[in-house]
Amino acid sequence: MSGSNGTDESPHEHDDARTENVGSTAESAREAEGASAPTERFEAVDPHREVTEPQAGSATDQKADVEAPQPEAAEGPEASGAVEPQVDEPKTEDTAAPQAPAEVRAESAEQTAPTSTEQAAPTGADEPPTEHVHPSEAPTAVIPVVAPGNRAPGDGSSADTDRLLRSQGEQNPAQPGPAQSGPEQPGAPVPPTSTAMPSAARPPQGDQPTQQMQAGPPQGPPPVTPPPPGGPGGSGGDGDEPGRSGSNLPRRTIALVVGGVVALLAVFYVADLALSSGKVPRGVTVAGVEIGGMSLDAAEAELTEQLTPRLDMPVDVTAGDTQGQIVPSEAGIGIDWPATLDRVGSQPLNPFARLASFFGNDEVGVVSTRDEAALSAAIEKAATAAAHEPREGNIVFEDGTPVPVTPQPGQQLDVAVAGDVFAERWPFGDVSLPVESVDVTVTREGLDRALAEIAVPAVAQDLVVRGLDGAVGVLPRDAVGAVLSFVPDGSGGLEPQYDTEATIGILAPQLAPSETEPKDARIVLDGGRPTIVPSETGEMVDWPVTLEKLPDLLKEEGDRSTDAVYKKAEPELTTEGAEKLGIKEVVSEFTTSGFEYASGVNIRLAAQEINGAIVKPGETFSFNDYTGPRGAAEGYVESGIIEAGRPGKAVGGGISQLATTLYNATYFAGMEDVEHTEHSYYISRYPAAREATIYDGAIDLKFRNPFDTGVLIQTIGTSSDITVRIWGTKTVDVQSVTGNRTNFTSPNTITLPAGSACIPSSGAQGFTVSDTRIVTDARTGAQISNTTRTVRYDPVPIVKCISPEPEPRDEPSGGGDDATSGGADSEDAPASAPESPAAEAPAAGGTEEE
């Protein structure tokens, strides 16, 4: 602010700080105080008014330079009639030009005042004049009053200031504010607005301190105005001189504080680095064991004590939805201590890293050694337990009720990755192994749709199929599950599958009375000659056509019934077909005899099974298919067999005599040998190298009809022999040539406890023999084939049955006819493989029927 000199005629500088549009009220108030009062002008600052920096070289600055006289030395404080508070101001040397602008001098004076409430608000020289404002509407401002440094003592400035404050309070008691002084001077330049009244342009001379007072009680915080551009010390000032450092002081203080803090942190950093040298970095943990701040030796000892026992403790392992345990030591896991300690690292030099170590932990983990074979075995075991196939959504039927099967994804363990994960995570006591999910294709929505649209309606009621003659077939609702099933359709849903065969299996027996079975043509031997019995055409249900609408029938809400569709059923062998077979004469026959009663029972039963069998051109006949099974339920009895290379007994024994008879009949009929096996040792009632054994389910006799005409098998059995005839059209003649016996071998002796299990035998020699079959054309005599088969027979063992009582010695039966003394049809174990590639034989010690 600016002030006027007193009226004591002392030489002082007079600065005018004008405020535009000064009201008459302020002027009248000043005159009422007395003519002797010093003249002072106060400037009210509108806090909402824009403040600008005065521009250099403006008219206002030039006028202030011309009008401002040079200050003189101020009088001492004794001259003043009033006592004012004084503040010691350090002496400074003004470096500005002697004739500085008034605005600059005002700012300099304002900076010398230590009052904390003052705010500098420089205003540009070209600011337009303010409007006339009534004091009651004037903005509130805090107005400091600064006594000029060169004012003479006793100039009454303190009293003047008090009067001014009182007059200002009387003008606007409700809203105290600065009074506007001085008459309005049209055309006068407007000085820069400021809340502080500047003192003399130069700093005080001599020892007189600069005094500053604040007029009026503060009613709130002072208005904040932006600092003037050009530096914190004022317009163009550098702010380093005393009296000009008001706004620069906080920066210096902050700089000093920041510098002190940085220095303190640097000291702390260096001290912390020195104290932690050679130790484990702060906050480091290994598998949860805290070793931060320890020496390396202490850290190793702590880790060894804490982690070594964990190698023998079971680790919980989770793989998807399965859980188990693995003992690390059993899985080949160990601890690599040097590598683990290397992970700990050295003290970090980064100050931020050191600071962060105070607030967190750094887990470095354990470096494990591993036995790959043991680890793979342990992980494979876990993988087997964790793996399961996906369960597709489906619908099953339980007691006629459809039950949805919720789809469940499968999973499989990634063995290679799982081994690495376990080796890394085992010290923490709980390891989650990675698994791969195997997705399902059926969604829950697709499952629900199939359930509601297909399954539930299918079991709503029974299905009825009406046949001829009142026959009815019913598919019960609780049996639908045997007919209806579901498979994924590839689009998230289920596709129904209807089992036609299962449906026929349920309905066909119920409609069988309405059907007429077809009958094949038969060839019977009447009066010693073959006669054809004509075939019959049948009428059967056409099930594929009848069940075409099965899916729609199982969805019907009303009557679920349909009519069976019938069709003609032709026999497999029609009358015309039987006539074309050419079965008109006997082409071959063969007879064997010499069997005991039990064997005869079994032989005649099997002969009835094959009697009348027709083998069409190109077909293959199987003895076991026609006659098996041959057990007690079928009427077969116990008879002689060959077991473990010696005679024995079993149900169905003796059938091999019928097989030998059939083989020879087909042999001379020119049939093609497909499969047959000789006995293991020779039986005298059979031709050497031209006989066959049989055993249900193990050893078979098969032949094929190679001709264009069919053949019929006729069997004739008596109590002592069995004959097989082959009927057809004779086209070939067959001749058998049996070779000499060679390579004889002697029997061994077997001693067994006496009883039913022991059948004594005097034994017989083994030998080798061959047979040659020559086939010629019956009409021309031309040779068609010449085949030789060689057979090696084992010797018949000598069997002795030992009992407590002496038994009479058996006489040898000779090397030829019957192999046993207990029965004519006892036979030995299967022979070893003959030389002919066409022959097949079981291993020695097997079982075969006689």
Side-chain angles (χ1 to χ4, degrees), residues 307-496:
L307 299 183
T308 301
R310 299 186 190 180
L311 290 170
D312 299 322
M313 299 172 61
V315 175
D316 293 332
V317 175
T318 302
D321 55 7
T322 61
Q323 294 180 342
Q325 289 185 331
I326 297 178
V327 178
S329 59
E330 296 178 359
I333 296 295
I335 300 177
D336 187 343
W337 292 112
T340 300
L341 293 175
D342 286 344
R343 278 191 176 185
V344 171
S346 58
Q347 289 291 332
L349 298 179
N350 189 327
F352 296 103
R354 301 187 67 84
L355 180 62
S357 66
F358 284 97
F359 307 101
N361 293 330
D362 181 15
E363 173 60 49
V364 300
V366 173
V367 180
S368 301
T369 60
R370 47 200 285 182
D371 182 341
E372 295 296 340
L375 180 59
S376 297
I379 297 299
E380 286 287 354
K381 185 177 180 181
T384 302
H388 58 76
E389 295 296 326
R391 184 182 68 191
E392 288 288 1
N394 203 351
I395 299 175
V396 297
F397 294 86
E398 297 180 359
D399 298 329
T401 302
V403 178
V405 178
T406 304
Q408 178 179 353
Q411 69 176 23
Q412 58 186 6
L413 186 66
D414 189 338
V415 177
V417 177
D420 296 337
V421 172
F422 182 80
E424 181 71 21
R425 298 295 303 170
W426 69 266
F428 299 93
D430 189 359
V431 180
S432 294
L433 300 180
V435 295
E436 298 176 355
S437 178
V438 182
D439 294 333
V440 294
T441 60
V442 178
T443 64
R444 182 68 193 189
E445 293 77 9
L447 175 64
D448 294 340
R449 184 169 56 252
L451 182 67
E453 298 178 0
I454 302 174
V456 172
V459 297
Q461 53 185 315
D462 298 339
L463 172 64
V464 178
V465 179
R466 296 185 297 265
L468 298 175
D469 302 327
V472 175
V474 178
L475 175 63
R477 56 182 299 275
D478 57 1
V480 171
V483 174
L484 176 61
S485 60
F486 295 87
V487 295
D489 62 4
S491 300
L494 288 173
E495 179 181 354

Side-chain angles (χ1 to χ4, degrees), residues 154 160 203 236 253 256 258 271-272 432 539 678 695 705 711 811 828 845:
D160 295 339
T253 303
L256 290 175
V258 171
D272 181 61
S432 294
E539 189 175 28
E678 293 84 358
Y695 194 82
N705 179 8
V711 296
E811 295 294 334
D828 199 1

Side-chain angles (χ1 to χ4, degrees), residues 485-546:
S485 60
F486 295 87
V487 295
D489 62 4
S491 300
L494 288 173
E495 179 181 354
Q497 299 286 316
Y498 299 93
D499 190 341
T500 304
E501 294 299 325
T503 308
I504 295 173
I506 297 173
L507 297 175
Q510 303 177 58
L511 295 179
S514 67
E515 297 178 308
T516 301
E517 292 284 349
K519 293 182 180 180
D520 290 339
R522 294 180 297 117
I523 301 176
V524 297
L525 299 173
D526 186 12
R529 295 189 61 83
T531 302
I532 297 177
V533 178
S535 62
E536 295 181 6
T537 301
E539 189 175 28
M540 307 292 292
V541 176
D542 189 347
W543 288 110
V545 176
T546 302

